[in-house]
Amino acid sequence: MAETAPQGETAADPRFRFLSSIVGRPVRGSDGARLGTLTDLVVATGEQYPPVESLVLTGRGGRRQYQWSSVERFGDRGLTLKAGAVASTPPEQPLADRIPLVEEILDKQIVDVHDAKLVRVNDLHFLELKGQLRVAHVDVGLRGLIRRMGWEPFVDRTLRLVRPGAPYLKADHLVSWKLVQPLDQSAGKVRLEVAQRLLATLHPADLAEIMEDLGRDQRTVLLGRLDVETAAEALEEASSELAAQLLEEVPPEKAADILEEMAPDEAADVLSDLPGDTRDEVLAAMERPEAREVEALLAYPQDTAGGLMTPDRIQLAPERTVADAIGELRRRDEELPLVYEIFVADAGGRLLGICTLRDLVLHEPATRLGAIMREAPATLGVHDRLREVAAAAAKYNLVSVPVIDEAGVLQGMVTVDDILGEVLDGR
Amino acid sequence: MAAEAAVAQRRVPFNRRIMLFLAVLGPGLITASVDNDAGGITTYSVAGATWGYDLLWTLIPITVALIVVQEMSARMGVITGKGLSDLIRENFGVRVTFWMSIALIVANLGNVVAEFAGVAASLQIFGVPVWLSVPAAAVAVWLLVLKGTYRSVEKFFLVASVFYVAYPVTLFFAKPDWGEIGTALVVPHLHSDGAYVAMLIGMVGTTIAPWMQFYLQAAVVEKGIKPEQYGMSRLDVIAGCVVTDVVAFAIVVACAATLHVAGVRVETAGQAAMALEPLAGRHASWLFAFGLFNASFFAAAILPLSTAYFVCEAFGWESGVDRKYGEARQFYWLYTSILVIGAAVVLWPRLPLVPIMLVSQVLNGMLLPFVLVFMLLLINKEKLMGQWRNGRWFNGVAWITTAVMIMLTVYLVAIGVRDLLA
């Protein structure tokens, strides 16, 4: 039972401590009188490994807060405060950029940005250095659970006897604090820079999965932390019901910004899941061209070619050359979905034929598209059902199937990823 | 609202609109249906056969208590967007959560055993031997849940809950005396007999079970119901509670009008189904057995799955049937073990089923007070519920309900322990 003095005695520095070995211990005044039990530690979040700034104790007089600098010494048997330590009343709501660890982090779900998944915090791991406690890791492993149950010594001793090589004995499942995103609402004011930046680097599909697993308020908080582009990518991967739920929680302007960034067919799916008045509001807030595109798609039921298609495509006149087509591909790479076929159409928009990427690669740059195009092996009408859409893509091995109206004018294309998604959903 | 409906009508095909409608009506109705599981049907059958209409009056206060408790579960789910085990972990810490999870696993394991016993008993009436029906049902449940998608499983559950209509239809064959029933519903018939009191408590205990609060809250969260839609959700809960007790009523009356009048005593729902044949005809017996099978199978599908969810949620382990085995090991192990152990216990030759049921009942009874008190503490937390906390009047009703439930279950646990030791 080592007691370390914050100032002076540095023999045991630096050492690690767990939150569970500090909280719940008695706090004494300089005269040795018991003031209460330690119930929380508050950190300031400015730094990568933030120091504990103050402590909260619960005694006969309710909750009181002391600055960490007024701690005389602390150890496994509890804390002793310096003479003249001044108590204050802890605020009802945590201040901005302050996190009470027990209240906001312990036992809560957080995003582990490194492994791209949701985890529950079993314990917190501090580095004790020169009397300061800094949060180093969160413990999300089994060992942390067992420590909280108070069984760590017993389980360790038994395991060492039975199976000394057990991975459990060595493997603490710790996640670095800088890779952690707390999701509680009040912690929403907090900015954890590194984790925030890393969030945007997660694969959109992982982000979507994390959102599916979160509670409603937390997913709204998470969405709020993402920039518009990342949010749009994540929502494209999420189910349209979930995306609609999320967009209802944010102001219409922000929802509109996110929808503009999304592929029009995905945006239309999400909009059709929004309640009518919210949908109108969001559509009104969207930029005109994007809104018009999406509105056109909204006119078709979700499980028809019209509902599945995206209007984004490469469409060129037959007089244009291979070089033009490749230039177009390069220029619009950002906004286009999966591209394999490009479409050749006359001035009235009627579909004449298609060229594949392979055709473009194999022919001289100056070749006219009209000379190398072939007839589209299959076309779809806007009202064709999902079955027929899937059958056409499968039969002719198409990556994208053109959709035309009654007059033969090209309206858009259905890409195979959207077909797969829809077919899997309806299984 | 009207504009919204008009848009929905234009855009959504008819069959999907029906599904959307059911989606709002889902959680309360499904929870309520599973509530009348094998254990419930057994209790109601025995109550009707033994005491005739004398216990009917309890159904109205039971419905009120059920609504009070379930409404709080649904409200917490809607407002916090989190499951009950999630909230308990976040607010009461690891130790409480651990012991609660253990109790929940063991109590639900007992319930699963009861469900498979129900499957065995009901299919025996149709001539299917136990060694075939129980493993087949276990495999069917396992495949249904692990190989189906969430949507297909939910559709299956919704369809299954429709089959509870089998019981009200059985009433038609039983030809009860409606005048007498009307009186019995509102006028309490009290007996000082210990067996009567035990039966009464058994009815309360089987109707308000701990796992239901977890399940309902989780289902509401899963649906993503928002505070604005809470009014709808509350209706769903109330409708579900009423349906539960209408089914319970039908079972009690069907058994009272036939078995009790003829002086036949039964100990299980399977016996009740068999005894109905000479009294109310083969069709009544078949309907009764079919209802029992449906209820048992339905609950056997939901209980292991939901138990695995709650435990994994509380400990932060990944869960869900859409995860791969490698990602959600604890979840798959828990789910499969509960299912396999539940089915194996029923198949074990000469295993004393009655004491096992008693243990399960005692554990459920011991868990319930804790769950109810946690719920009341949570729902009154300003930080969680804000303006949606219990009002003063409702809080009074809720605490009184909880206190009565606790007294009754303490008594139930006491007699359960006494019977186990005897």
Side-chain angles (χ1 to χ4, degrees), chain A residues 264 293 310-316 324-337 339 342 413:
Chain A
E293 259 181 7
T310 167
D312 286 339
R313 67 206 181 245
I314 294 187
Q315 176 178 344
L316 294 166
D324 291 338
I326 292 176
E328 186 82 358
L329 260 173
R330 289 195 179 128
R331 196 171 59 74
R332 295 179 53 199
D333 175 54
E334 282 284 310
E335 60 179 272
L336 287 173
V339 176
I342 65 161
M413 63 178 184

Side-chain angles (χ1 to χ4, degrees), chain A residues 411-426:
Chain A
Q411 301 291 314
M413 63 178 184
V414 181
T415 52
V416 73
D417 52 336
D418 291 336
I419 300 176
L420 276 179
E422 200 65 26
V423 168
L424 286 177
D425 273 358

Side-chain angles (χ1 to χ4, degrees), chain A residues 107 120 213 216 248 300, chain B residues 11 78 86 89 226 323:
Chain A
D107 290 326
R120 202 176 275 287
D213 288 345
R216 192 186 46 242
E248 254 188 284
Y300 304 109
Chain B
R11 292 244 330 117
V78 170
D86 201 336
R89 167 74 193 265
K226 291 184 292 271
R323 295 285 150 87

Side-chain angles (χ1 to χ4, degrees), chain B residues 152-220:
Chain B
S152 63
V153 171
E154 196 192 48
K155 274 182 214 166
F156 175 86
F157 285 163
L158 278 170
V159 171
S161 59
V162 173
F163 287 121
Y164 281 92
V165 93
Y167 286 108
V169 174
T170 318
L171 262 193
F172 170 76
F173 292 98
K175 303 190 186 69
D177 175 350
W178 290 104
E180 202 182 330
I181 292 170
T183 323
L185 257 182
V186 283
V187 183
H189 289 261
L190 293 170
H191 297 257
S192 54
D193 194 334
Y196 176 86
V197 179
M199 195 75 242
L200 188 156
I201 297 171
M203 279 179 70
V204 178
T206 188
T207 314
I208 304 178
W211 68 265
M212 294 168 61
Q213 318 319 322
F214 291 89
Y215 181 80
L216 177 62
Q217 192 167 335
V220 164

